[in-house]
Amino acid sequence: MELYKDSTKPIPERVEDLLSRMTLEEKAAQLCGDLPASFIKDGKVSIETLREKFPDGHGRFTQYSMVGIVDPVQIAEISNELQHYFVEETRLGIPVALQTENLCGYPAAGGTLFPAQINVGCTWEPELAGEMAAVIGQESRSVGINSAMSPVIDVSRDPRWGRTYETYGEDPYLISQMGVEYVRGMQGKDKEGVACIAKHFLGYAESQSGLNCAVARINDRELYETFATPFEAAANEADVSGMMANYGEIDGMCVGANKKIARTLLRDTMKYRGMLTSDGAAIMKMYNYFHLAPTYKEAGLLAKKGGLDTEIPIGNAYRQLPDYVREGKLDEALIDESVRRVLTIKFEYGLFENPYVDVDKVRAAMTNPDKADLSRRIAEKSIVLLKNDGTLPLRKGLKLAVVGPHADNLRYPISGYTYPAYIEMMKAGAEDSSSVTFNGMADEAAANRTPCDENGFGAANPFAATLAMFSPEDQARLNDLPTVLRQMGARSLNAVLSDRFDVRYAEGCKIIGDDTSGIAQAVAAAEESDVIIAAMGGNCGWINVTGGEGKDRSSLDLPGVQQQLLEALCATGKPVVLILYGPGVFALPWAAEHTAAMIQAFMPGAEAGRVLADVLDGTVNPGGHLTFTMPHHIGQIPIVYNHHMGSGYGTGRDTSASVIFSGGYVDNTDEPLFPFGHGLSYTTFAVGKMELASDELPTDGDIRIRCTVTNTGDRTGDQVLQLYYHFSGAHVIRPVKQLVGFVRVTLAPGESKTAEFTLKAAQLGYYNEDMDFVVEPGPAELSLGTSSADICDTRAIRLTGSPVGLMGHRSYTCAVSVS
């Protein structure tokens, strides 16, 4: 038996043995991706096509969950056929990676649909991210998927960017905690789960003007301290198997071809040893979008030298890398380094020993009531009560007007990159691929409209080819999306509230568009009611949406004529409860002034109707907190709580200094509408003073902070305690405050609990004036609050001892216990 087939041997030895047996073409094949539509039609695998296209093996098939868009058993059977070909018919028998986007659920028939990642962040419970990811990983692996293009751990500080809903928020510490737990849950304790590819390394969400793929202006200090931190935490704390490179430009180079980032920062500074993959068609974009290379093939050479290990969704540039090796333009060792990383993952996740799935167990492995209950609990915990004048919770017997484009819609509360969104995208793209901004497949489709065969592009519309994977009968099953959603348990807010209250419903207006004809009907319904529930906001996906991939905003106002509808409702004099849905935040100072209550719902998923109704009537006490700063006006962007001293609101420790250097805006406030970390409850809390074990923190030690919180109201509720840190002893400008610890505490009426934080100095590193990453002695402050603005107590401390170099020795987590 060949050494690489011997499961008792160490994985590094197996990798080297297999690598030594591979031809140049077999190596390149492991670095390439392709779409399943390339070998499936009418639900059948073409073995002949596999033999023709992949004689040397293959690295991965991406967007693979689309094979299961109709039936989980069908995708499981196809997974086994695929693995049988690669294991039994190729020379070396290397299994293929089957990967998909499964950020908030296995995105095909039978999977559990979870709330958007932005909602998960608002729970402030990283453990929930782990529980959710474990379910997604288990369902994905049961049908043969072994690679996940998730989680998204970008630091997102511009709400105009359409993909903010895929992120956990604006704070690197919170994102790190969520990302670590997600990866642990998805990959499994012993890598029995699905290999994660964290994205998008690096700075993807920091694009100018909030435009997708635009240039990011990020200096070296901030690139590592802020944007790389969640990725380094995922690598060092959770052993994340892969990362995906950002499409965009930093300092004149696409990240995937930027050696300074993809090699020096990632490999030398961060010591990351996992796989770095391209984003969908990123190498093609280097050629036909950014014009970094005269041909697509040469863009592949730039990417390989730059540091990208693999190319997806189609590896037509990397497939040609052997030409450059033979021409002496590419060192084969650069191919070998990437093949090692790919093979290591395949060995670690047991693909060589267990390439097949048990088809008979697939249906039982998919969603069930317990999993659906987890999704609902996450949604409940994510709801943020922004404002309340006492109107909420609603009293029994009230007459309600339920109004707005979200009031009676099943699809809108569900995020992009989900099963329903994939159905929309696939069907729309098959009819007109230019209407879909789904990177990767859309890029392939655009290239196909141009005669570029010499550059290695394919020949078919990949959306149409994907739809053609299914028989006409199966395609017909995808036509009725409302039925699909009802089968997943979805009910609208109007339907659920109608079971509990006397309801008058009116849509009022659409999400987008300028039709105001429905406003009069909505006002009439409002005038006959005691309280108005205004369900408004945006929607998400790739088709006719206000947010999503390539769907960015230039305004943070309510879309369409929704503001006009809201003003008409408020003019009735009846109390208005505004529920805000969608993939991002809005800047709504008028609403904050004129409504009775405001709820930030984002996209809670299929159970949104029940969850919001439970919050409205008090069945659920909201306890979510914001992970973004909400501005008064778009002109305040960027407005983040952890801005550098001197760079934003609330920065002056000295009143005269702040007046001299910045009087604020002359036409608006410089304060946020709602601060980072904000969230109200139907009960009240008292947070006690901090108790410190010492007022000194050794630069090589830790400090313990205790605090008691009491529920002073008459309902059980949750409070999120947030620990902030500011250091004023550096010779470089530091953030005005930064989150360093948090915990969500559940308390019964009258109950008190004590939280103890153990903060390590190794968590507080930064690049000093010499660009050494250190923690240094000097004065600092610790603050405890319930938001970044609602600070309950602040204590001065001093870091003592000698400077300590932290590169390679960082800490990423402040341990918290509650008793």
Side-chain angles (χ1 to χ4, degrees):
M1 180 172 63
E2 296 91 337
L3 189 153
Y4 77 89
K5 294 182 179 179
D6 186 350
S7 62
T8 67
K9 299 295 183 183
I11 287 176
E13 292 182 17
R14 299 176 73 186
V15 169
E16 292 305 317
D17 180 67
L18 179 51
L19 185 64
S20 71
R21 300 171 187 270
M22 299 174 75
T23 67
L24 192 52
E25 279 69 27
E26 287 170 334
K27 292 176 182 178
Q30 288 300 310
L31 310 185
C32 295
D34 211 325
L35 294 165
S38 64
F39 58 86
I40 299 175
K41 190 170 184 179
D42 292 336
K44 305 294 183 183
V45 174
S46 171
I47 299 298
E48 292 74 19
T49 301
L50 291 174
R51 290 169 180 156
E52 177 185 348
K53 295 192 67 172
F54 312 110
D56 299 310
H58 194 56
R60 63 198 57 244
F61 291 108
T62 192
Q63 300 304 336
Y64 183 70
S65 65
M66 291 185 182
V67 178
I69 208 80
V70 172
D71 184 0
V73 170
Q74 182 180 31
I75 185 176
E77 291 173 341
I78 290 174
S79 297
N80 284 347
E81 286 187 71
L82 277 176
Q83 297 294 13
H84 184 272
Y85 166 74
F86 286 104
V87 171
E88 301 297 335
E89 293 199 32
T90 60
R91 186 177 73 90
L92 295 171
I94 303 173
V96 67
L98 303 175
Q99 77 180 25
T100 193
E101 309 272 5
N102 54 7
L103 184 64
C104 50
Y106 163 63
T112 306
L113 180 60
F114 288 96
Q117 190 153 288
I118 194 172
N119 288 79
V120 179
C122 288
T123 69
W124 290 67
E125 287 194 33
E127 299 82 5
L128 291 175
E131 291 180 45
M132 177 186 80
V135 170
I136 300 170
Q138 173 263 315
E139 291 180 351
S140 299
R141 191 70 187 251
S142 73
V143 300
I145 291 168
N146 47 57
S147 177
M149 293 182 281
S150 59
V152 175
I153 48 177
D154 291 306
V155 176
S156 181
R157 308 193 299 192
D158 190 333
R160 296 173 295 181
W161 186 55
R163 301 186 73 172
T164 55
Y165 77 96
E166 296 181 53
T167 76
Y168 293 119
E170 71 183 41
D171 180 75
Y173 179 77
L174 176 66
I175 295 165
S176 297
Q177 298 307 299
M178 292 287 176
V180 164
E181 290 300 323
Y182 186 104
V183 173
R184 286 174 174 165
M186 179 76 74
Q187 294 189 163
K189 183 178 180 181
D190 298 312
K191 298 190 176 177
E192 71 280 4
V194 174
C196 283
I197 299 173
K199 58 188 190 181
H200 305 80
F201 186 83
L202 191 62
Y204 183 39
E206 194 72 356
S207 58
Q208 282 192 328
S209 302
L211 287 171
N212 199 49
C213 299
V215 62
R217 305 294 189 195
I218 309 173
N219 61 54
D220 291 346
R221 176 175 279 109
E222 196 171 27
L223 196 64
Y224 180 66
E225 288 185 6
T226 299
F227 297 96
T229 292
F231 291 91
E232 192 172 83
N236 291 341
E237 298 283 301
D239 192 22
V240 67
S241 292
M243 295 182 188
M244 178 182 287
N246 167 17
Y247 281 116
E249 170 203 338
I250 296 178
D251 195 23
M253 289 288 290
C254 294
V255 169
N258 192 327
K259 295 179 182 178
K260 185 176 178 180
I261 298 174
R263 289 196 180 275
T264 303
L265 177 59
L266 182 63
R267 304 299 183 186
D268 298 338
T269 300
M270 296 171 61
K271 307 297 183 186
Y272 182 60
R273 294 294 174 257
M275 178 185 70
L276 181 67
T277 186
S278 79
D279 205 334
I283 295 175
M284 183 189 294
K285 283 181 182 289
M286 293 180 193
Y287 156 66
N288 66 359
Y289 185 77
F290 292 106
H291 302 293
L292 281 181
T295 65
Y296 174 36
K297 177 180 178 179
E298 192 168 329
L301 178 64
L302 285 177
K304 187 69 212 70
K305 288 183 174 180
L308 276 185
D309 291 317
T310 63
E311 179 187 14
I312 62 168
I314 297 175
N316 282 335
Y318 271 24
R319 193 168 283 117
Q320 302 175 78
L321 288 178
D323 293 347
Y324 287 113
V325 175
R326 295 188 181 97
E327 294 166 8
K329 297 179 179 179
L330 178 66
D331 188 344
E332 188 172 355
L334 293 182
I335 292 181
D336 288 350
E337 69 176 4
S338 296
V339 176
R340 283 190 184 93
R341 292 169 185 142
V342 171
L343 294 178
T344 296
I345 295 170
K346 291 183 176 183
F347 279 118
E348 286 180 339
Y349 284 82
L351 299 191
F352 282 81
E353 287 70 50
N354 300 290
Y356 306 113
V357 298
D358 189 337
V359 175
D360 293 336
K361 295 182 178 179
V362 167
R363 294 204 188 280
M366 304 312 287
T367 193
N368 60 41
D370 288 341
K371 296 176 182 177
D373 182 65
L374 173 62
S375 177
R376 179 185 54 78
R377 286 192 290 114
I378 293 172
E380 289 174 352
K381 286 175 174 285
S382 74
I383 304 303
V384 182
L385 181 61
L386 298 174
K387 172 192 175 180
N388 186 21
D389 68 356
T391 299
L392 296 179
L394 300 172
R395 303 186 311 276
K396 291 182 179 180
L398 289 174
K399 296 178 181 179
L400 301 183
V402 180
V403 177
H406 270 275
D408 201 42
N409 192 283
L410 300 180
R411 167 66 183 92
Y412 293 159
I414 296 172
S415 75
Y417 277 113
T418 56
Y419 177 42
Y422 269 112
I423 293 175
E424 288 176 341
M425 176 266 291
M426 185 170 58
K427 293 176 71 66
E431 295 176 4
D432 176 13
S433 60
S434 64
S435 68
V436 182
T437 55
F438 182 45
N439 274 312
M441 289 179 67
D443 290 283
E444 294 287 342
N448 297 333
R449 291 193 293 271
T450 306
C452 303
D453 289 340
E454 71 276 11
N455 287 301
F457 297 147
N461 175 349
F463 299 104
T466 298
L467 198 60
M469 288 194 299
F470 307 105
S471 67
E473 294 77 16
D474 283 342
Q475 291 183 38
R477 294 166 63 184
L478 303 176
N479 286 331
D480 188 1
L481 190 55
T483 297
V484 171
L485 291 169
R486 279 192 288 271
Q487 290 172 344
M488 300 177 76
R491 295 187 71 205
S492 72
L493 179 63
N494 174 44
V496 180
L497 286 176
S498 294
D499 292 340
R500 308 180 189 185
F501 295 91
D502 182 0
V503 167
R504 289 144 184 82
Y505 163 72
E507 183 181 41
C509 67
K510 303 296 184 183
I511 284 184
I512 55 178
D514 56 6
D515 183 3
T516 60
S517 61
I519 293 181
Q521 183 182 2
V523 169
E527 289 175 339
E528 296 177 2
S529 304
D530 300 314
V531 176
I532 303 164
I533 308 300
M536 298 182 174
N539 61 331
C540 183
W542 293 281
I543 310 297
N544 299 321
V545 294
T546 67
E549 185 175 15
K551 302 293 186 182
D552 309 308
R553 295 183 286 168
S554 65
S555 168
L556 295 183
D557 299 336
L558 286 170
V561 296
Q562 291 184 65
Q563 179 67 30
Q564 191 172 339
L565 171 61
L566 179 62
E567 292 180 14
L569 296 174
C570 289
T572 65
K574 304 293 179 69
V576 175
V577 177
L578 175 61
I579 307 176
L580 294 168
Y581 299 82
V585 300
F586 298 96
L588 302 176
W590 190 94
E593 181 180 352
H594 292 89
T595 60
M598 292 175 67
I599 292 172
Q600 181 64 65
F602 290 120
M603 291 175 292
E607 294 249 24
R610 174 184 169 183
V611 167
L612 268 300
D614 284 349
V615 169
L616 290 170
D617 72 8
T619 302
V620 169
N621 188 353
H625 284 241
L626 292 175
T627 63
F628 289 88
T629 303
M630 295 181 69
H632 273 87
H633 189 272
I634 195 169
Q636 293 175 291
I637 293 173
I639 181 170
V640 293
Y641 88 92
N642 56 354
H643 57 79
H644 281 197
M645 291 294 296
S647 297
Y649 70 92
T651 192
R653 302 282 172 166
D654 183 306
T655 303
S656 63
S658 65
V659 170
I660 291 170
F661 287 104
S662 176
Y665 297 109
V666 297
D667 56 355
N668 209 324
T669 177
D670 62 351
E671 296 287 329
L673 182 64
F674 295 107
F676 172 87
H678 173 73
L680 304 178
S681 173
Y682 295 152
T683 190
T684 55
F685 301 94
V687 180
K689 296 291 185 179
M690 289 189 290
E691 300 175 16
L692 275 59
S694 170
D695 60 3
E696 292 188 352
L697 170 56
T699 53
D700 61 352
D702 57 48
I703 187 171
R704 290 187 299 280
I705 306 103
R706 290 167 55 88
C707 177
T708 298
V709 57
T710 302
N711 183 342
T712 56
D714 57 4
R715 291 174 178 264
T716 296
D718 292 1
Q719 183 59 281
V720 178
L721 298 178
Q722 302 160 39
L723 182 65
Y724 294 93
Y725 170 79
H726 170 71
F727 185 64
S728 53
H731 295 299
V732 293
I733 298 172
R734 300 303 300 148
V736 64
K737 61 168 68 79
Q738 59 191 101
L739 184 70
V740 292
F742 63 86
V743 65
R744 181 166 176 158
V745 182
T746 300
L747 295 164
E751 185 179 16
S752 296
K753 290 183 180 179
T754 298
E756 181 171 290
F757 300 81
T758 302
L759 178 65
K760 297 178 182 178
Q763 191 183 318
L764 308 176
Y766 59 91
Y767 276 127
N768 66 13
E769 65 273 24
D770 298 318
M771 290 301 287
D772 295 323
F773 194 79
V774 296
V775 58
E776 297 178 312
E781 289 178 347
L782 289 173
S783 299
L784 192 76
T786 56
S787 81
S788 60
D790 300 309
I791 300 300
C792 306
D793 192 21
T794 298
R795 293 284 299 273
I797 64 168
R798 174 168 288 277
L799 276 72
T800 59
S802 301
V804 174
L806 292 179
M807 194 62 73
H809 307 285
R810 296 180 72 182
S811 177
Y812 307 95
T813 302
C814 175
V816 189
S817 62
V818 177
S819 58

